[in-house]
Amino acid sequence: ETGIFGRGAGRRAAEALEVPLLAEIPIDEELRRAGDEGVTLLRSRPDSPASRLFRQLAGRVRKQLERPVPEHP
């Protein structure tokens, strides 16, 4: 796992913007390699920790999209 963006930066940004933090996905060697090779980790290693986090992220995005949008004056 490599903290190339630092630790907690996403959480701090979400709090500052007052939006939900949908996921924190660490970049590990397996995820980096899959990206470099153009391979979807969800297909090549569906049970990997990163794949599970990506599925959780997708579910959270779906829930956010299903919520009604508040009207702003």
Side-chain angles (χ1 to χ4, degrees):
E1 177 180 321
T2 304
I4 61 173
F5 300 113
R7 298 221 182 264
R11 183 170 304 283
R12 288 190 300 276
E15 289 171 358
L17 296 169
E18 298 180 358
V19 297
L21 177 66
L22 299 178
E24 291 181 293
I25 302 174
I27 299 175
D28 62 13
E29 181 64 24
E30 184 176 49
L31 179 57
R32 184 210 54 83
R33 191 176 323 110
D36 287 350
E37 295 172 359
V39 176
T40 301
L41 192 63
L42 288 164
R43 286 185 187 233
S44 65
R45 292 286 317 276
D47 295 326
S48 73
S51 290
R52 286 193 296 272
L53 290 170
F54 277 115
R55 281 193 300 279
Q56 288 175 0
L57 169 60
R60 290 175 183 156
V61 168
R62 181 175 162 234
K63 285 181 183 178
Q64 288 295 316
L65 292 173
E66 290 172 345
R67 295 177 60 188
V69 177
E71 292 185 28
H72 293 285

